[in-house]
Amino acid sequence: MTSRLDELRKNIDEIDHEMIALLAKRFKYTEEVGLYKAKNNLNAQDTTRESQQFQKITQLSERHGLTPEYASEIYRRIIDIVISRHQELLTMNLKDDQASRVR
């Protein structure tokens, strides 16, 4: 029984590794999006894009046998972190713009 439990946990650990690698890759791209938004003075949050994402997440969850509410909660947190980072970048960009005007 312990060997089966160990095997299951090993599989979970491997999936966790893959998930972290994918999250790192995702955040790399969202950072680029945030820099683009800051440079172009765009809003940190795009509610239209969010709505599209959550529709897609629901469909993907159902297709893969995952409760859509679980996936939506996880993605809500991820998206909130991204929005917060985009707001930071926008604020930094605005401060840089103001500092360059003062000089």
Side-chain angles (χ1 to χ4, degrees):
M1 180 151 162
T2 302
S3 63
R4 177 65 179 146
L5 180 59
D6 290 341
E7 180 184 332
L8 291 169
R9 287 179 173 164
K10 181 181 178 218
N11 290 336
I12 291 169
D13 291 345
E14 289 173 6
I15 292 168
D16 287 344
H17 177 82
E18 293 172 19
M19 288 173 60
I20 294 298
L22 287 172
L23 276 173
K25 188 175 182 179
R26 188 182 198 286
F27 278 110
K28 177 184 164 217
Y29 287 114
T30 61
E31 182 76 5
E32 289 182 36
V33 168
L35 292 169
Y36 179 90
K37 286 180 174 182
K39 181 179 177 185
N40 293 283
N41 293 317
L42 299 174
N43 289 330
Q45 186 171 13
D46 181 343
T47 56
T48 301
R49 169 78 174 154
E50 280 183 44
S51 178
Q52 293 168 348
Q53 288 295 93
F54 280 106
Q55 288 175 3
K56 178 182 72 175
I57 289 161
T58 297
Q59 292 169 354
L60 288 170
S61 298
E62 291 169 347
R63 187 179 316 150
H64 291 281
L66 177 64
T67 303
E69 290 79 17
Y70 295 169
S72 291
E73 284 184 41
I74 292 165
Y75 270 87
R76 178 75 266 159
R77 183 66 183 127
I78 291 169
I79 291 170
D80 287 346
I81 291 167
V82 169
I83 292 167
S84 177
R85 176 61 180 153
H86 289 182
Q87 289 170 333
E88 288 175 10
L89 293 171
L90 184 57
T91 300
M92 290 177 359
N93 186 60
L94 292 173
K95 287 180 182 177
D96 289 345
D97 285 349
Q98 290 171 349
S100 66
R101 287 185 199 140
V102 173
R103 293 180 193 152

